[in-house]
Amino acid sequence: MDTFKGKKVFGGIAIASIFYYEKDQKEVARRKVSNTKAELERFETAKGEAAKQLQALYNKALKEVGEVNAQIFDVHLMMLEDDDYNESIVNIIESQEVNAEYAVAVTGDNFAEIFANMEDEYFKARSIDVKDISERIVRILTGSWAKEDLVEPCIIAAKDLAPSETVQMDKSKLLAFVTKEGSTNSHTAILARTMSIPALINVDIKKEWNGKTAIVDGYEGIIIVDPDSETLELYKKKKKQDEEQKRLLQDLKGKDTVTKSGRLIKLYANIGNVSDIGSVLKNDADGIGLFRSEFLYLEKDHFPTEEEQFTAYKQVAETMGDKKVIIRTLDIGADKQVHYFNLDKEENPAMGYRAIRICLTQTSIFKTQLRALFRASAFGNISIMYPMITSVEEVKAIKKIVEEVKAELDSIGVDYNTIEQGIMIETPAAAVISDLLAKEVDFFSIGTNDLTQYTLAIDRQNNRLDRFYNPHHESILRLINMVVENAHKEGIWAGICGELGADVELTERFLKMGIDELSVSPGMILPLRKVIREAE
Ligand code: PEP
Ligand code: MG
């Protein structure tokens, strides 16, 4: 029996034999050709076939995992038509007088490497997509197209999985994913969450696991290979309890998030991008308490235009209907770097030029986002919140800019709704002067991830400091209590959108403090609703 650790993508327990999935790694042969025109035609025909397959995959995904998740195949279709990608293939065929499959394979490898070396997490994740479409074209050209067939329910262990691979697998046979590579931001991870199956990444997978029995514990982030009979029995019991719990949680859908004494709590979800709305709806969140809008910037290689942002915000607002959608303005900087911002390297990025500090300095970036947000407000129930606030002066400066944006929109006759505006309380400074800040805004949302980092002076990115990073520290709990009290004195509401909001060990304590809202990852909505409904 061996236990291996990984990074959790989705919780749950699976017990089954491992299917070690390996892509056909055969080298694509390089052949000299005399008729390059014929090779170009072969490439065009294969591309057409690839487009057909991708369209079919899109339709299949649409039915099984919804539109937002199916969009990855739209991205593949777009990549297939990318000018640089196509030019490179044509160039190799013509200049080297070689076969089409070789040109496609080389281009795929080159582009995948370029993406993989990018700093931006979104583009890094695209590396696997460009490889995926190139392999598809090669398989068509070499006639080796074969669908991987899962014979019995299993745990898939793979170096990495492309979305087109996961979606083709028979879901009834797929109990868990364990991969060596991939990021929690990758589409495969998103699919795993949507399918609600346990998944781990960064696991040191081994080929010899193939066929062995294993247990994936997505809650603990471990895979136990070849478990002894005692462990197996223990996990069979755990799995049963887990399934029973999940079944019971389903009954909480459509029910109020209300304490026994009748106090309604706003139980909202945190999202990173538009594609997360599916799981927000599936888990029946009362609204969205934190839309980290910087992911729109992280996904692009240019400043997202007002129109691009408007479309994203509108889509979320419309999908959520009357439910509240709190969009946080750009929180770039520190660990979230975007190359086109051209930010200088800093000694202390977490305490550096970031978030609202950028927005208040480069106001045109801020105004573009605000215009998109106000325009989108006409299509739903949008609120805005501002990150990294430390002073009343910052809030006043924001309000001035907001008024300018509103005046601009008025002058051109653009409709917008009245928008509630709040701030994140994630610096000790903001918590300490929350009595003054409460007079200026409509709500507070406590960002416990940063509040813990700054209060305890511990870099939240440094996993060597994990044992010192204690969000249960009395100082944090006292600050939260103080913030809630100060909010209520001014008649505004206060919530928590940091990870601590989902910590069920503290729920009772937060409720006693009078917390009005908790915003957590979509998968934590129903477990938390249960705890709240059982509390006084
Ligand atoms: C926080 O700091 O608690 C928070 C919710 O924001 P982020 O994790 O995006 O910094
Ligand atoms: Mg933060």
Side-chain angles (χ1 to χ4, degrees):
M1 176 168 106
D2 284 309
T3 303
F4 297 81
K5 265 196 104 50
K7 202 163 165 185
K8 304 172 223 176
V9 170
F10 194 79
I13 292 167
I15 306 172
S17 62
I18 297 180
F19 177 84
Y20 184 88
Y21 176 79
E22 198 174 24
K23 271 178 242 198
D24 195 357
Q25 299 290 357
K26 260 190 277 162
E27 284 255 313
V28 178
R30 182 178 193 273
R31 270 188 299 113
K32 270 276 183 196
V33 296
S34 51
N35 187 352
T36 50
K37 211 165 150 235
E39 287 308 303
L40 291 175
E41 274 168 19
R42 282 186 68 228
F43 166 58
E44 282 304 324
T45 314
K47 216 173 82 174
E49 173 59 25
K52 264 197 237 153
Q53 290 180 357
L54 288 167
Q55 192 58 53
L57 284 172
Y58 175 86
N59 296 339
K60 185 173 191 290
L62 191 66
K63 266 200 241 133
E64 290 181 2
V65 287
E67 187 178 354
V68 174
N69 289 296
Q71 274 168 6
I72 183 60
F73 299 110
D74 253 356
V75 174
H76 281 202
L77 278 162
M78 260 156 39
M79 277 183 169
L80 205 59
E81 293 306 329
D82 180 80
D83 285 345
D84 292 338
Y85 179 75
N86 279 278
E87 263 169 38
S88 164
I89 294 167
V90 172
N91 260 338
I92 294 174
I93 295 176
E94 286 180 336
S95 64
Q96 300 184 28
E97 297 177 343
V98 290
N99 52 328
E101 47 271 54
Y102 176 76
V104 174
V106 170
T107 302
D109 285 349
N110 290 345
F111 276 62
E113 195 171 325
I114 294 169
F115 279 121
N117 287 325
M118 287 185 176
E119 294 246 310
D120 185 314
E121 282 306 316
Y122 176 80
F123 285 110
K124 251 194 213 309
R126 297 293 73 76
S127 168
I128 190 168
D129 295 324
V130 74
K131 243 190 138 107
D132 195 22
I133 57 162
S134 305
E135 281 166 4
R136 179 179 303 282
I137 304 174
V138 168
R139 281 196 300 264
I140 294 166
L141 282 165
T142 55
S144 62
W145 179 253
K147 220 161 92 178
E148 206 58 56
D149 244 345
L150 303 179
V151 187
E152 55 184 33
C154 64
I155 295 163
I156 299 266
K159 188 159 176 272
D160 207 344
L161 285 169
S164 65
E165 290 167 320
T166 48
V167 82
Q168 284 184 77
M169 290 167 181
D170 181 348
K171 306 291 173 302
S172 63
K173 310 254 169 66
L174 186 52
L175 302 182
F177 291 126
V178 182
T179 65
K180 183 164 175 58
E181 283 161 17
S183 66
T184 42
N185 201 22
S186 70
H187 280 95
T188 297
I190 292 168
L191 280 173
R193 280 191 215 116
T194 312
M195 287 162 60
S196 297
I197 58 170
L200 308 175
I201 56 172
N202 297 352
V203 178
D204 190 14
I205 58 150
K206 298 190 181 352
K207 199 170 178 171
E208 53 273 23
W209 290 357
N210 196 33
K212 289 190 175 168
T213 300
I215 299 163
V216 176
D217 182 341
Y219 298 112
E220 294 296 323
I222 53 170
I223 173 166
I224 306 168
V225 182
D226 250 346
D228 57 32
S229 53
E230 209 178 309
T231 310
L232 202 57
E233 281 314 306
L234 181 77
Y235 266 95
K236 277 185 184 161
K237 269 195 209 129
K238 274 194 184 183
K239 186 166 160 11
K240 245 191 161 156
Q241 286 163 357
D242 187 51
E243 282 164 358
E244 179 59 13
Q245 289 235 318
K246 282 190 177 146
R247 201 188 55 71
L248 288 173
L249 286 175
Q250 294 306 306
D251 296 344
L252 291 174
K253 283 190 182 174
K255 298 232 165 98
D256 284 338
T257 309
V258 64
T259 61
K260 276 191 186 154
S261 56
R263 195 152 70 89
L264 264 180
I265 304 295
K266 305 177 219 264
L267 184 53
Y268 293 164
N270 293 349
I271 63 168
N273 52 51
V274 182
S275 63
D276 294 337
I277 316 178
S279 49
V280 173
L281 297 175
K282 199 170 141 231
N283 288 289
D284 193 38
D286 302 329
I288 290 172
L290 168 64
F291 177 177
R292 290 179 161 100
S293 72
E294 57 276 10
F295 280 91
L296 290 178
Y297 294 71
L298 288 162
E299 281 169 10
K300 301 224 177 301
D301 62 357
H302 60 268
F303 286 103
T305 61
E306 181 181 323
E307 220 44 47
E308 284 169 336
Q309 294 193 54
F310 166 69
T311 307
Y313 304 146
K314 175 172 173 260
Q315 193 182 340
V316 178
E318 275 182 337
T319 313
M320 294 302 290
D322 299 339
K323 292 182 174 172
K324 195 180 272 300
V325 176
I326 303 177
I327 303 178
R328 173 174 78 185
T329 58
L330 181 63
D331 186 13
I332 224 80
D335 54 313
K336 297 176 211 145
Q337 290 292 336
V338 185
H339 68 90
Y340 56 82
F341 271 73
N342 286 324
L343 301 178
D344 290 334
K345 254 208 150 7
E346 294 176 300
E347 283 289 311
N348 241 326
M351 298 196 194
Y353 185 55
R354 57 174 293 194
I356 205 68
R357 299 169 187 178
I358 297 179
C359 290
L360 289 176
T361 314
Q362 301 187 55
T363 48
S364 68
I365 298 175
F366 194 31
K367 280 188 165 179
T368 303
Q369 179 167 38
L370 289 171
R371 268 197 306 273
L373 285 167
F374 272 87
R375 283 175 56 202
S377 71
F379 298 88
N381 184 3
I382 285 181
S383 299
I384 306 180
M385 85 177 157
Y386 305 99
M388 280 296 289
I389 297 296
T390 60
S391 71
V392 172
E393 289 68 34
E394 284 163 353
V395 177
K396 288 195 166 149
I398 293 168
K399 282 182 167 176
K400 192 161 163 274
I401 295 170
V402 167
E403 286 313 311
E404 286 168 15
V405 167
K406 281 163 73 175
E408 276 167 37
L409 293 176
D410 290 342
S411 72
I412 50 170
V414 173
D415 272 353
Y416 56 85
N417 276 343
T418 310
I419 293 188
E420 269 198 12
Q421 291 177 76
I423 54 171
M424 299 221 21
I425 302 286
E426 52 182 346
T427 64
V432 171
I433 60 160
S434 50
D435 56 333
L436 305 177
L437 291 167
K439 297 182 200 303
E440 303 290 333
V441 297
D442 299 317
F443 64 91
F444 285 156
S445 186
I446 306 172
T448 48
N449 308 338
D450 277 319
L451 188 62
T452 307
Q453 145 162 285
Y454 296 123
T455 306
L456 304 185
I458 287 180
D459 179 359
R460 66 191 254 198
Q461 297 293 113
N462 186 342
N463 43 23
R464 279 178 68 195
L465 299 176
D466 273 0
R467 56 181 276 236
F468 301 106
Y469 185 92
N470 173 19
H472 287 210
H473 196 288
E474 192 53 33
S475 61
I476 309 297
L477 298 172
R478 285 190 198 179
L479 286 176
I480 295 173
N481 196 26
M482 183 168 112
V483 170
V484 177
E485 272 179 11
N486 284 333
H488 290 173
K489 270 186 210 150
E490 290 299 330
I492 65 169
W493 63 264
I496 298 177
C497 64
E499 292 304 307
L500 206 59
D503 189 332
V504 290
E505 278 178 41
L506 291 175
T507 311
E508 288 249 22
R509 190 148 173 196
F510 291 149
L511 293 174
K512 281 207 183 91
M513 289 179 190
I515 206 85
D516 303 288
E517 178 239 30
L518 292 169
S519 190
V520 299
S521 64
M524 280 307 292
I525 294 284
L526 294 176
L528 209 51
R529 182 170 292 159
K530 179 171 185 287
V531 177
I532 292 170
R533 286 174 64 90
E534 285 165 3
E536 281 309 316

